[in-house]
Amino acid sequence: MARQAVILTEYARTLIRVKAKQIVRRPGFSRSDQADVEQDLIVHLLCQAQHFDPDRGSLNTFISRVVDSAVAMLVRDRERVKRNPGDDAEVQSLADMGPQPDGPPESLARLISRNDLERRTGTASLTDAQLFDLASDVASVLPSLPAASVPSPPMRRCRASQAAHRPAA
């Protein structure tokens, strides 16, 4: 536990903040994801703290490598969801042609509005009123949820890593 506290240096916190800001600018992420991304990066870093070896490199180098690895996993996981959205999702190319009532068919990319495109691709930011409504809804539902929940992908990886490195009893 002591090693975990030492690894969350000011450098680590700043790096995580910067990386999270960079990630949420990518397609498939939104600005409202920033706190979640920061938390995932911190969890990943804390889970990897046990692997730090000062004989192999500096603490800041270790932190940079671990955070970069976590960033790559988050982006890869998000890309995977975009490529395979699920059985009930209908995927259609924006290059497909759509009928127009008063003219020749045009590509769907030209027919879809900017707001609808951002909403569908997950790049739209919520307004303050929408964020307030969402927070209110979550606060009202949260007490009714069971205590145990499914951990996020970084937390599952952390638990799997800890189990693999736990000494045999």
Side-chain angles (χ1 to χ4, degrees):
M1 185 66 180
R3 189 176 284 187
Q4 287 181 342
V6 172
I7 205 157
L8 277 178
T9 63
E10 189 59 36
Y11 172 78
R13 292 176 197 280
T14 302
L15 180 65
I16 286 170
R17 241 186 337 270
V18 168
K19 292 292 184 175
K21 284 181 183 178
Q22 290 174 346
I23 289 174
V24 300
R25 287 190 221 129
R26 296 179 60 101
F29 291 89
S30 68
R31 286 184 295 188
S32 60
D33 292 331
Q34 185 169 343
D36 292 335
V37 169
E38 286 182 27
Q39 182 178 5
D40 286 345
L41 296 177
I42 288 170
V43 167
H44 186 76
L45 181 59
L46 292 175
C47 289
Q48 297 302 314
Q50 65 192 8
H51 300 295
F52 174 62
D53 181 359
D55 294 336
R56 295 186 66 199
S58 73
L59 179 60
N60 287 350
T61 301
F62 176 80
I63 291 168
S64 294
R65 301 268 190 225
V66 169
V67 170
D68 286 344
S69 171
V71 165
M73 285 188 294
L74 285 172
V75 170
R76 184 192 64 218
D77 289 347
R78 188 65 60 106
E79 289 292 324
R80 182 181 305 126
V81 170
K82 282 180 15 182
R83 283 194 309 265
N84 186 13
D87 296 334
D88 60 342
E90 180 182 331
V91 179
Q92 192 170 12
S93 171
L94 291 175
D96 289 349
M97 301 303 277
Q100 292 239 71
D102 57 349
E106 281 201 54
S107 71
L108 294 178
R110 295 185 56 80
L111 296 175
I112 194 168
S113 72
R114 174 57 110 189
N115 289 342
D116 196 33
L117 177 62
E118 289 174 353
R119 182 184 56 78
R120 290 170 185 248
T121 57
T123 57
S125 296
L126 298 176
T127 65
D128 288 342
Q130 290 170 321
L131 286 171
F132 179 80
D133 289 343
L134 179 60
S136 176
D137 291 344
V138 169
S140 67
V141 170
L142 204 52
S144 67
L145 295 176
S149 64
V150 177
S152 66
M155 199 57 170
R156 284 195 297 265
R157 286 188 196 105
C158 180
R159 289 183 183 158
S161 173
Q162 288 172 343
H165 293 90
R166 194 171 292 133

